[in-house]
Amino acid sequence: MTRWSLLTVVVVSSCASLGSSALTKPMRVPVIGSPALSHREVAWKSADGLTLKGWVFDPEGAPKGLVVLVHGKDINRQHFSGEAVRFTRRGWQVLAYDQRAHGASEGERTTFGFHEVDDLLRGVEHLKAQRVVLVGESLGAAVSLQTTARDRRVVGCVAGASFSDLETIAAERRPFFFSDDDFDRARALAEVEAGFQVAAISPLRDVATIQVPVLLLHGTRDSYIHPDHARRLHDSGPTTELVWLEGVGHLDVLVRREAWDRIERWMDEWRL
């Protein structure tokens, strides 16, 4: 092999590894401190043996059900767990947990729902919940939509800034210097290393089968996941309601008070 041929192999391999890691290896943000709201620690095992950790917030008296707060990629359970009080005062138990490869939960790779749906449902089973509302943002929104399509215990879903399908968002977010071949190799390597198929992850396909109410929230200035993803989900989902948050970007969809006030009104409308 010539020096230039060897260099080409190294560059190609490096691009594939870079792309694979960018797609499936989240930044791990540590959990610092704990909420002021009364809570307890909880942990359960995933199907592949990972320990997943979270906080449970209990209401006064018997809970009417369980609200699960599902964070996005590169953050952790603390992102919007401060909103748990909105639900405990309405009589709901609340679970805020770290998805695999995030926060204090074990794992190195995210699979965008391939394993995360089962991870979430095992948390539901651990708490013996029979009536569940999911509230997710970005990756967490996509996981929530996929979970809602698969489990009848879910009676409502809030999805903030979800992607419509992984193939589309991965292509939109690929590095500008990646050729089509670079992108294909990176995707193939990510599938091998994380153990899932990119084409299998499609909230767009799943939302078409959902029969319970779904509230879609999306910022009009989201430059990370384009608003077109929300439009496609809304067009495909027969039970969806789409609310635009004017002037809001990607990271603050479930930070703005207007979003949480709208979520509570939605719960009132559906008597949740």
Side-chain angles (χ1 to χ4, degrees):
M1 180 179 291
T2 68
R3 180 182 302 176
W4 289 113
S5 296
L6 179 60
L7 179 60
T8 299
V9 170
V10 170
V11 170
V12 168
S13 176
S14 296
C15 283
S17 180
L18 173 65
S20 172
S21 294
L23 180 64
T24 64
K25 291 193 78 170
M27 178 189 306
R28 189 180 290 275
V29 178
V31 176
I32 300 173
S34 60
L37 184 65
S38 178
H39 64 282
R40 53 192 169 92
E41 299 280 345
V42 66
W44 66 94
K45 288 287 187 179
S46 69
D48 52 348
L50 301 178
T51 298
L52 306 174
K53 297 184 178 182
W55 293 317
V56 174
F57 305 86
D58 293 307
E60 293 184 9
K64 64 171 65 174
L66 176 69
V67 171
V68 186
L69 306 180
V70 195
H71 67 76
K73 188 170 178 282
D74 301 327
I75 47 179
N76 62 38
R77 73 183 98 156
Q78 291 180 302
H79 183 51
F80 47 79
S81 60
E83 302 297 339
V85 67
R86 288 179 177 266
F87 303 107
T88 57
R89 69 189 180 193
R90 298 171 69 94
W92 291 81
Q93 185 181 61
V94 178
L95 168 64
Y97 74 103
D98 294 324
Q99 296 204 70
R100 61 172 53 215
H102 292 82
S105 290
E106 294 179 343
E108 297 298 327
R109 302 269 181 174
T110 181
T111 60
F112 297 93
F114 186 82
H115 289 299
E116 286 80 1
V117 168
D118 186 66
D119 293 347
L120 192 164
L121 291 176
R122 283 172 179 259
V124 169
E125 290 161 9
H126 183 76
L127 295 174
K128 298 180 172 58
Q130 294 301 316
R131 189 165 180 259
V132 181
V133 172
L134 304 179
V135 181
E137 180 186 69
S138 192
L139 165 64
V143 170
S144 295
L145 288 169
Q146 292 170 77
T147 304
T148 302
R150 289 164 172 74
D151 198 286
R152 292 187 177 181
R153 287 172 294 186
V154 182
V155 297
C157 176
V158 177
S162 178
F163 59 81
S164 58
D165 64 275
L166 188 56
E167 284 188 306
T168 299
I169 191 62
E172 290 173 353
R173 299 302 304 171
R174 78 182 191 180
F176 72 91
F177 53 85
F178 268 36
S179 67
D180 289 344
D181 287 344
D182 290 334
F183 177 70
D184 289 343
R185 280 188 287 266
R187 183 176 63 182
L189 181 60
E191 292 180 333
V192 170
E193 292 181 333
F196 79 113
Q197 297 295 313
V198 169
I201 309 303
S202 178
L204 180 66
R205 183 168 57 238
D206 289 326
V207 76
T209 70
I210 293 175
Q211 298 179 0
V212 299
V214 173
L215 177 64
L216 302 173
L217 300 169
H218 213 101
T220 59
R221 298 189 66 181
D222 192 335
S223 59
Y224 190 84
I225 296 180
H226 194 277
D228 282 347
H229 286 264
R231 293 188 184 96
R232 287 193 290 270
L233 289 168
H234 181 48
D235 289 344
S236 181
T239 64
T240 63
E241 175 185 354
L242 174 57
V243 173
W244 295 112
L245 300 175
E246 292 296 331
V248 173
H250 185 70
L251 295 178
D252 52 351
V253 167
L254 291 188
V255 173
R256 299 295 185 95
R257 178 176 177 176
E258 63 182 296
W260 292 101
D261 289 348
R262 185 64 190 87
I263 290 168
E264 290 204 81
R265 291 199 302 274
W266 172 81
M267 293 184 76
D268 288 339
E269 289 162 7
W270 289 98
R271 299 182 181 179
L272 296 174

